[in-house]
Amino acid sequence: MENRAWPEPVGRVTAYLRDAGAEVRVEEFRDGTPTAQAAARAVGCELGQIVKSLVFDCDGRPVVVLVPGDRRADSAKVAQAAGCRFARIAGTHEVEEATGFEPGAVAPFPLPRVERILIERTLLAHQVVWIGAGSDRHMAALSPAELVRLSRARPMDVVELHT
C-alpha cells in the first residue's frame, strides 16, 4: 500500500490506513482525478460511488461532509446536522488549514483539526466506494462500513433533493 514515490499527503493517508489495519486499496491514476466525473471515469465505477470530501465552515468550525459524486451537499441540512446556525463551503485556504490537504485532494482521514465528519447515508448502500487519498491522482477503494469506521463519520441526510 505504501510507495515512497507518492506525495507526502498520500503517505499520511496510507500510514493512517496501515496503522488502523484498514481493508483498503490505494491506487494512483496517471490522468488524475480532480473531479468526481474524472474519478469515476478513471476508476470505472458509477459517479455515486465516488465520495466527495467537502469542507464546510460551520459557525467558524470546520466540518467535513462526505457526499456521493452525483449529489450536492445541502448547506441548511449540514448546518442542522452540525448543530450550527450557518454552514458554508470553506475557501481554499480554510480547506488546507483545516485538513492539511489541497481542495480536490481532501481525504476523510487523518483530520486532527476536524471535530465532526458527516457522511450522506445513501453512500452506505454501495458495496465499494472510492475516496480521495491525499492528491488529485490517488484514490482508495473501501467498503462504506470501513469508511465510517476509519473516519468516525455520522451517517446523516446532508444532500439536496434530486431534481
Side-chain angles (χ1 to χ4, degrees):
M1 185 164 42
E2 194 149 8
N3 181 328
R4 294 197 194 291
W6 285 354
E8 185 276 332
V10 178
R12 269 188 281 138
V13 172
T14 57
Y16 180 86
L17 293 169
R18 184 186 59 247
D19 293 348
E23 293 184 33
V24 62
R25 181 174 83 242
V26 176
E27 294 186 31
E28 181 173 9
F29 296 92
R30 192 172 38 116
D31 293 335
T33 56
T35 66
Q37 291 84 359
R41 250 189 330 275
V43 169
C45 71
E46 294 176 21
L47 188 54
Q49 289 176 267
I50 299 297
V51 179
K52 297 187 291 190
S53 297
L54 306 176
V55 181
F56 279 82
D57 175 331
C58 293
D59 292 347
R61 294 185 336 264
V63 173
V64 171
V65 181
L66 308 177
V67 300
D70 61 349
R71 302 293 296 275
R72 292 175 53 94
D74 182 316
S75 58
K77 289 181 179 180
V78 170
Q80 183 177 12
C84 64
R85 291 185 319 277
F86 76 94
R88 67 167 176 79
I89 289 284
T92 300
H93 179 73
E94 293 169 305
V95 170
E96 291 175 4
E97 182 74 23
T99 68
F101 298 109
E102 294 179 7
V106 175
F109 40 72
L111 300 174
R113 291 182 290 270
V114 176
E115 295 174 19
R116 180 166 293 168
I117 301 175
L118 307 173
I119 184 170
E120 167 54 35
R121 65 178 177 218
T122 58
L123 281 167
L124 305 179
H126 295 287
Q127 294 266 345
V128 172
V129 293
W130 289 81
I131 60 168
S135 89
D136 65 0
R137 297 168 59 99
H138 294 82
M139 304 219 31
L142 68 170
S143 72
E146 189 74 333
L147 175 56
V148 168
R149 178 182 80 85
L150 294 166
S151 65
R152 296 184 299 284
R154 289 185 21 223
M156 308 290 274
D157 171 16
V158 291
V159 295
E160 294 178 352
L161 295 174
H162 272 298
T163 54

